[in-house]
Amino acid sequence: MRLTPAERDRLLLAGAAAVARRRRERGLRLNVPETVALVADAAVEAARDGLRLAEAVEAARALLGPDDVLPGVADVVTEVRVEAVFDDSTRLVVVPDPVGGGHLGAGAPGAVLPGADETASPPAGRDVVEVEVTNTATLPVTVTSHWHFFEANPRLRFDRAAAYGRRLDVPAGSAVRFDPGAPTTVALVPIGGARVAVGFAGLVDGPLDADGAREAALERAREFGYLGAGAPDDSDGEGR
């Protein structure tokens, strides 16, 4: 059975959570890796059950309390982040205070931005590009903050070449929803760190800046019909 890196990560997480669950059932208090695995798995399973993002966050936060973990764990595990597959898209789930007992406010990490028009204008001097995005699908499409935007839903029409190696310029843990047929302009900034894209839609799966990586990714996008990459049905020619 061939699995993508993201699928292997989910199986690894499920296995670690199963171990943590058995130890908790035996009355043991959880350590840091066990706590993270159990909370992250709860969020992933909530998404699989069809819950919305905010509901998945609450389900994961409700799982453990201070008495379920070893002393000091609550001070170390102040936030858990995991990519989860929801009914409409893959989103970054950010679970704040997973064993503490705070209250999730409307503006907490994990909230979904209703549209890019609510994001602030990028300050002068930053490496920011703007692209106009049109959702040609019949359902809304949501893209999370740290998703490689180049690999976003193939039914989104935008300049894929301009989006290569970039993510949305929105707060971590938030997302932008693209409603069907409504053009939306979003700001994109370069992906930071080691600039390695693994998983996502599988169009890169390696260093973003390697020789030929951008051209090869564009070719894959065209092959699989991603709008804006110059695919045969991309009548406006974006990305050519």
Side-chain angles (χ1 to χ4, degrees):
M1 180 173 64
R2 298 184 62 183
L3 299 173
T4 66
E7 289 168 337
R8 289 197 295 269
D9 287 345
R10 291 190 186 105
L11 285 176
L12 180 62
L13 172 62
V19 172
R21 196 172 294 112
R22 289 198 300 269
R23 291 175 178 174
R24 184 188 180 204
E25 290 171 352
R26 297 204 307 268
L28 299 176
R29 301 179 74 177
L30 304 181
N31 59 24
V32 168
E34 293 162 351
T35 299
V36 172
L38 205 55
V39 171
D41 183 68
V44 169
E45 291 303 308
R48 184 65 180 84
D49 288 340
L51 299 184
R52 296 179 180 272
L53 178 58
E55 295 171 327
V57 171
E58 286 298 339
R61 293 181 77 246
L63 184 64
L64 299 175
D67 293 338
D68 296 310
V69 300
L70 291 169
V73 169
D75 296 327
V76 174
V77 185
T78 59
E79 184 179 87
V80 172
R81 297 183 175 218
V82 64
E83 290 277 359
V85 181
F86 291 82
D87 287 344
D88 59 348
S89 66
T90 299
R91 304 185 192 178
L92 176 66
V93 180
V94 182
V95 184
D97 193 23
V99 293
H103 296 284
L104 186 65
V112 180
L113 298 178
D117 57 341
E118 296 200 9
T119 62
S121 298
R126 293 182 61 205
D127 183 5
V128 178
V129 300
E130 292 187 344
V131 295
E132 183 178 272
V133 182
T134 301
N135 179 9
T136 67
T138 58
L139 296 173
V141 171
T142 302
V143 181
T144 54
S145 58
H146 282 64
W147 187 266
H148 184 204
F149 202 77
F150 170 83
E151 302 183 66
N153 192 295
R155 294 299 92 194
L156 295 180
R157 185 189 300 277
F158 60 90
D159 186 347
R160 299 272 171 178
Y164 182 83
R166 294 177 177 269
R167 63 172 181 83
L168 286 164
D169 187 21
V170 296
S174 60
V176 174
R177 189 181 74 182
F178 300 94
D179 291 322
T184 304
T185 299
V186 295
L188 305 176
V189 294
I191 292 174
R195 289 183 56 77
V196 174
V198 176
F200 298 109
L203 298 181
V204 182
D205 274 342
L208 288 163
D209 302 320
D211 290 343
R214 182 175 181 273
E215 292 73 17
L218 279 166
E219 180 60 32
R220 292 189 195 98
R222 286 190 287 268
E223 179 183 351
F224 290 111
Y226 280 70
L227 297 181
D233 64 343
D234 195 4
S235 59
D236 65 2
E238 288 179 346
R240 292 183 186 274

